[in-house]
Amino acid sequence: MNLKARNDATPSLRIIPREQHVISRKNISKAALRVLYRLNEAGYTAYLVGGAVRDLLLGGHPKDFDVATSATPEEVKKLFRNCRLIGRRFRLAHVVYGQEIIEVATFRGTGEEDGDGDRHIVDGRIVRDNVWGTIEEDAIRRDFRVNALYYDISDFSVRDYVGGMQDVENRVLHLIGDPATRYREDPVRMLRAARLAAKLNFRIDAAAAAPFEELGPLLLDAAPARLFDESLKMFLGGHGLKSFHMLEQCGLLKFLLPATARALKRGDKALRGLIEQGLANTDARVAEGKSVTPAFLFAVLLWGEVRDLAHAWMVKGVEDSVAWTRAATHVVAEQCQRVAIPRRFTITMEEIWSLQPRFEQVQRKRVFRLMAHPRFRAAFDFLLLRAAESPAIHELGEWWAHAQQLPHETLAAALSGSGAVPEAPVATTASTAPRKRRRRRKPNGKSGAA
Ligand code: ATP
Ligand code: MG
């Protein structure tokens, strides 16, 4: 593919001098500055590029700093002792300073795949991209215009080859070149459009959004491991709720989370509430610097389908615990074909789900056994989210919250009917059991006793 076919934009350089933009060295990590200066001193050109420049222009604090340079990976390695070369599909140098990694990429060119470089294109998809080139070529092979801005440490200017600065000002995402071609090269760019629009509060330009419907199915062939990484960026990056809404708006949710899309389509308002609250809580935790886990996130996103499948099997007479296990296994297996959720997380997801019916069993022994379960905390947080499902679940959540506050002896006495009885949960309408088979249970486990 030649440069013209690939991109309709012919790069023309606009240099924005220091006094006309807001980027200050103060906000750039020391490690990134060292890499830039060292490369410059060694006679190479080197710029800060991509998300970091974009976020700095928007007044944000980038988490990672990427550098683009004329030096090849081997030349970068010679300059830095703390450097390792990574990637096959896309070769890069990582310069490591303690916890921080600066990603240093050589300018990518637009050479032919059968030229002397190393680019492979299969069915329009770029599967390998190791052709070195000029900065102009590097700029136009990036995805969005706002992601193709270069900060020059030698004079503190910003170099703009494709109109990215204008887009930052207008808060819009334009793809560089022909959108359909760029999505065919790499369908994950569609998800990146949705994610960046959510994160930056930008709109997606109409031409960039138009191909979603036709080309969305290409995501079905994207590498599941990459979709897992992208999912974490979307949902655990602090803008999960907005990313979710944006995926729905763009019509892309069904390709990433088919079970979630199906369950929501059945018109379940409570499920929507649960997912939105789960994502909002996750965003709040990220904002507070607290830890978040993919297991809880995917447990939230897939709950509706697990619950509905389990119910369907129970109604058919399958034993409760078997129905739950089977539903969980089924939903996880389907999801992992799209998004490679590592096993350690799917195990926790299945535990969170399988503990849900156990919150309805409030006999003394079972209560203490559940509280001692290593996944109790996560499963309890999940129960609280489910409060939106029914008033009964809400009450159940309150009962368990209260029970955890009580000293062991008080709770034990209450559960065996001899102490001050905590407010009893009305487990009868809690909806982990399908309607037909609902049983009445009292807190002391003795049927009919108060
Ligand atoms: P984030 O805020 O999530 O870090 P980002 O734009 O920096 O967003 P990265 O994945 O860190 O995203 O990528 C760094 C840069 O590499 C991007 O800004 C863009 O210029 C380029 N890039 C990343 N992914 C692609 C892609 N799929 N196609 C083309 N260019 C890409
Ligand atoms: Mg980045």
Side-chain angles (χ1 to χ4, degrees):
M1 225 190 301
N2 65 30
L3 200 143
K4 277 230 167 58
R6 196 172 138 97
N7 289 305
D8 51 21
T10 314
S12 67
L13 175 63
R14 172 183 165 210
I15 294 179
I16 299 114
R18 171 64 191 97
E19 59 281 6
Q20 287 175 31
H21 67 72
V22 297
I23 298 180
S24 151
R25 269 178 304 164
K26 278 205 312 283
N27 300 321
I28 302 173
S29 87
K30 293 253 176 338
L33 291 173
R34 271 157 83 172
V35 170
L36 290 169
Y37 281 125
R38 174 83 66 89
L39 283 163
N40 266 348
E41 283 159 14
Y44 301 105
T45 49
Y47 303 96
L48 197 64
V49 68
V53 180
R54 176 199 71 209
D55 292 351
L56 287 167
L57 286 170
L58 290 164
H61 300 277
K63 284 188 308 298
D64 49 75
F65 291 88
D66 296 334
V67 168
T69 179
S70 59
T72 65
E74 288 72 22
E75 287 168 337
V76 176
K77 183 151 176 66
K78 280 200 196 118
L79 281 181
F80 298 91
R81 257 190 309 126
N82 47 338
C83 173
R84 50 173 196 248
L85 302 186
I86 62 147
R88 240 164 49 91
R89 186 182 155 269
F90 198 90
R91 262 168 58 230
L92 291 172
H94 273 179
V95 184
V96 185
Y97 292 94
Q99 295 277 48
E100 201 178 345
I101 295 176
I102 305 301
E103 209 167 88
V104 184
T106 307
F107 297 140
R108 251 64 181 177
T110 52
E112 298 286 337
E113 107 176 88
D114 49 21
D116 46 3
D118 181 23
R119 166 175 297 127
H120 291 277
I121 299 177
V122 178
D123 296 337
R125 257 182 325 127
I126 297 181
V127 292
R128 208 171 163 100
D129 195 355
N130 290 315
V131 179
W132 313 142
T134 62
I135 184 171
E136 289 85 356
E137 292 174 311
D138 187 82
I140 61 166
R141 62 100 203 153
R142 290 179 182 273
D143 47 5
F144 302 98
R145 291 185 196 166
V146 292
N147 284 348
L149 291 163
Y150 297 76
Y151 174 79
D152 188 345
I153 199 67
S154 70
D155 62 1
F156 315 128
S157 68
V158 171
R159 303 169 81 87
D160 179 2
Y161 293 90
V162 292
M165 199 68 180
Q166 189 70 53
D167 284 5
V168 168
E169 280 156 22
N170 297 339
R171 305 188 78 88
V172 60
L173 292 172
H174 279 108
L175 266 175
I176 300 169
D178 171 54
T181 310
R182 304 306 312 280
Y183 291 141
R184 281 186 207 281
E185 283 175 353
D186 179 7
V188 174
R189 287 173 183 152
M190 290 184 267
L191 297 179
R192 288 178 53 84
R195 173 169 73 81
L196 291 175
K199 167 179 161 162
L200 306 172
N201 215 357
F202 275 29
R203 70 187 169 80
I204 304 173
D205 152 64
F212 289 158
E213 193 172 335
E214 190 200 337
L215 300 183
L218 293 179
L219 283 167
L220 302 179
D221 294 326
R226 195 161 164 225
L227 292 184
F228 177 71
D229 292 343
E230 199 56 38
S231 300
L232 299 190
K233 287 188 177 185
M234 273 186 281
F235 300 124
L236 299 184
H239 309 273
L241 182 57
K242 278 186 72 183
S243 296
F244 187 82
H245 286 150
M246 194 55 80
L247 280 177
E248 281 193 301
Q249 253 180 52
C250 295
L252 298 173
L253 186 71
K254 56 181 177 290
F255 303 115
L256 193 71
L257 296 161
T260 313
R262 272 199 307 270
L264 285 172
K265 216 174 165 190
R266 290 195 285 272
D268 191 334
K269 272 225 184 94
L271 180 65
R272 175 166 291 279
L274 181 150
I275 290 176
E276 291 182 342
Q277 191 59 55
L279 290 168
N281 293 354
T282 304
D283 291 344
R285 286 186 66 91
V286 173
E288 289 166 34
K290 292 185 183 163
S291 69
V292 287
T293 159
F296 194 82
L297 167 81
F298 281 102
V300 168
L301 292 171
L302 299 172
W303 166 249
E305 185 86 341
V306 173
R307 179 197 60 194
D308 295 354
L309 268 185
H311 282 194
W313 273 315
M314 283 186 257
V315 167
K316 282 187 188 153
V318 177
E319 201 249 314
D320 292 17
S321 65
V322 176
W324 280 104
T325 311
R326 206 192 272 176
T329 310
H330 184 91
V331 171
V332 164
E334 185 202 35
Q335 186 58 53
C336 286
Q337 288 181 356
R338 299 286 166 86
V339 176
I341 309 169
R343 180 105 186 94
R344 64 181 187 283
F345 298 130
T346 62
I347 291 172
T348 305
M349 286 154 63
E350 293 183 35
E351 284 178 317
I352 291 173
W353 293 328
S354 69
L355 291 180
Q356 295 306 305
R358 288 176 54 183
F359 282 104
E360 289 169 43
Q361 302 169 355
V362 289
Q363 301 97 326
R364 175 182 165 147
K365 256 201 191 138
R366 289 175 187 253
V367 166
F368 287 112
R369 215 183 296 147
L370 186 50
M371 282 181 170
H373 193 285
R375 225 51 75 199
F376 172 76
R377 188 70 223 176
F380 171 68
D381 286 343
F382 196 85
L383 179 74
L384 293 183
L385 271 186
R386 292 180 51 221
E389 284 181 7
S390 73
I393 303 268
H394 179 76
E395 268 180 60
L396 203 55
E398 298 213 315
W399 186 88
W400 280 90
H402 180 58
Q404 288 171 75
Q405 309 278 311
L406 296 175
H408 184 95
E409 296 73 26
T410 316
L411 180 61
L415 288 170
S416 44
S418 57
V421 185
E423 201 56 39
V426 187
T428 53
T429 49
S431 58
T432 40
R435 287 182 194 290
K436 266 175 71 178
R437 307 188 59 229
R438 212 169 272 145
R439 281 187 295 258
R440 241 167 218 288
R441 282 209 179 100
K442 295 290 172 184
N444 63 4
K446 287 178 205 149
S447 160

